[in-house]
């Protein structure tokens, strides 16, 4: 039987309080995170454009099956030095964002515990970068495979391992298997609670999606399909949508970290319980 229910309204109310009272403002740190993400996105856009310009263009409306097969096969055969460089840098940017996300989660965990968490905590994930990358890749793989099987298994995997990264940030000395095992045990009997907590953010998520769609429809035609046009469009889209993201992102993350901190806090009259030795 799971322990006492953790009320999502209480977790969200505490998250809103932390948004106002944290020693290091979550809104400002989120702006820093989003600015770094924008910079990396702009670099990725430039790299993508460079790849397109260094390759022969194919019209997707007239491409033949043979051309499509050749295009797929070209990924596995020799590339030009520019293409290999662009591919490497694109992968590197994606991995860097994974590590920054771990740092962001580490910051929110510190705030939820009332600790002083400076802006530098955004880069805490680099202290155990190998585990962060391995854990993120494995979780994305599991969730992706699960989503391909009628959606439900992917949602279950997402809820089951929602706290794996938190466990790793809390104790970087553990293995990724131990982090996932602890998350699985922590969420046992609580998946509906977590699902409803995530579902409660749906109105704000829909607002963000509506803003992104509106920006895409209204602004995208105004910018030329060139490198400078793509970069300017990304910048304007960031400025507009960040008005929602800068509040929604820390609000959601703090609500989940508050839930996690409450969940893992040992009762005053009981010692902390160690996870089961069950293998992953």
């Amino acid at each position: 039987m799971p322990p006492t229910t953790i009320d999502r309204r209480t977790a969200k109310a505490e998250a809103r309080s932390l948004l106002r009272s944290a020693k290091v403002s979550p809104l400002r740190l989120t702006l820093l995170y989003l600015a770094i993400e924008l910079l990396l996105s702009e670099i990725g856009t430039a790299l993508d454009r460079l790849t397109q310009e260094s390759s022969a263009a194919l019209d997707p409306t007239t491409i033949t099956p043979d051309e499509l097969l050749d295009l797929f096969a070209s990924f596995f055969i020799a590339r030009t030095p520019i293409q290999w460089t662009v591919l490497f840098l694109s992968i590197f940017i994606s991995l860097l964002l994974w590590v920054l996300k771990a740092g962001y989660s580490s910051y929110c965990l510190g705030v939820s515990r009332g600790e002083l968490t400076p802006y530098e905590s955004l880069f805490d994930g680099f202290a155990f970068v190998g585990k962060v990358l391995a854990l993120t890749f494995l979780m994305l793989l599991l969730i992706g495979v699960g989503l391909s099987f009628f959606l439900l298994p992917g949602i279950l995997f997402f809820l089951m391992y929602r706290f794996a990264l938190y466990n790793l940030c809390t104790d970087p000395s553990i293995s990724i298997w131990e982090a996932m095992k602890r998350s699985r045990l922590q969420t046992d009997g609580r998946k509906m609670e977590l699902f409803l907590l995530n579902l409660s953010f749906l109105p704000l998520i829909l607002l963000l999606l509506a803003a992104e769609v509106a920006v895409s429809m209204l602004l995208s035609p105004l910018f030329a399909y060139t490198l400078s046009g793509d970069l300017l469009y990304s910048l304007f889209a960031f400025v507009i949508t960040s008005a929602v993201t800068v509040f929604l992102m820390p609000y959601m993350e703090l609500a989940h970290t508050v839930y996690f901190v409450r969940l893992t806090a040992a009762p005053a009259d009981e010692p902390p319980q160690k996870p089961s030795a069950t293998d992953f």
Side-chain angles (χ1 to χ4, degrees):
M1 292 291 293
T4 306
T5 299
I6 300 175
D7 183 33
R8 64 180 180 278
R9 297 178 183 85
T10 303
K12 293 175 69 175
E14 187 171 339
R16 290 193 296 271
S17 176
L18 290 171
L19 285 174
R20 299 187 296 268
S21 62
K23 298 180 178 66
V24 176
S25 170
L27 299 180
R28 292 179 181 175
L29 186 128
T30 301
L31 273 177
L32 173 61
Y33 176 88
L34 292 175
I36 296 174
E37 188 177 46
L38 172 66
L39 176 61
L40 295 176
S41 175
E42 296 283 64
I43 295 174
T45 298
L47 293 174
D48 182 63
R49 176 66 62 178
L50 182 61
T51 302
Q52 292 178 13
E53 292 177 354
S54 63
S55 305
L58 287 176
D59 184 354
T61 62
T62 60
I63 189 171
T64 66
D66 288 340
E67 289 175 330
L68 185 61
L69 182 61
D70 291 341
L71 182 63
F72 177 76
S74 67
F75 184 84
F76 302 97
I77 61 177
R79 296 166 173 260
T80 66
I82 291 180
Q83 289 175 324
W84 278 116
T85 302
V86 168
L87 178 62
F88 172 80
L89 291 176
S90 298
I91 295 174
F92 177 77
I93 289 173
S94 297
L95 298 181
L96 186 57
L97 287 172
W98 290 1
V99 182
L100 288 175
K101 179 62 174 65
Y104 189 84
S105 296
S106 179
Y107 160 82
C108 289
L109 279 169
V111 170
S112 299
R113 296 186 176 114
E115 301 169 358
L116 177 61
T117 48
Y119 291 106
E120 292 81 3
S121 61
L122 185 59
F123 306 99
D124 283 354
F126 287 98
F128 45 101
V129 58
K131 293 181 179 179
V132 169
L133 296 180
L135 176 62
T136 305
F137 175 79
L138 184 56
M139 288 178 59
L140 289 175
L141 180 63
L142 285 173
I143 294 171
V145 171
L147 289 174
S148 67
F149 289 98
F150 306 106
L151 191 66
L152 183 59
I155 296 175
L156 290 176
F157 279 136
F158 170 77
L159 297 173
M160 185 184 300
Y161 297 117
R162 181 63 179 86
F163 298 141
L165 185 59
Y166 293 168
N167 285 313
L168 188 61
C169 290
T170 300
D171 184 5
S173 65
I174 64 176
S175 67
I176 64 171
W177 309 109
E178 179 66 17
M180 296 178 72
K181 179 173 63 178
R182 291 184 184 183
S183 179
R184 190 179 73 250
L185 296 173
Q186 289 158 353
T187 58
D188 184 28
R190 293 190 176 274
K191 294 181 183 63
M192 182 55 68
E193 281 184 8
L194 280 174
F195 178 75
L196 293 176
L197 176 60
N198 283 277
L199 191 63
S200 67
F201 289 102
L202 186 59
L204 287 173
I205 294 173
L206 291 176
L207 177 61
L208 176 60
L209 292 176
E212 292 177 346
V213 171
V215 167
S216 177
M217 294 179 62
L218 298 176
L219 287 186
S220 182
L222 302 179
F223 295 90
Y225 188 62
T226 61
L227 175 57
S228 59
D230 288 348
L231 295 178
L232 284 174
Y233 168 72
S234 298
L235 178 60
F236 276 92
F238 165 79
V239 172
I240 295 174
T241 57
S242 63
V244 180
T245 307
V246 74
F247 172 76
L248 175 60
M249 184 175 175
Y251 183 24
M252 288 185 62
E253 193 71 15
L254 283 171
H256 282 88
T257 53
V258 166
Y259 187 102
F260 173 78
V261 170
R262 285 173 172 265
L263 177 65
T264 54
D269 56 345
E270 293 182 16
Q273 293 184 354
K274 294 183 179 180
S276 162
T278 307
D279 291 333
F280 172 72

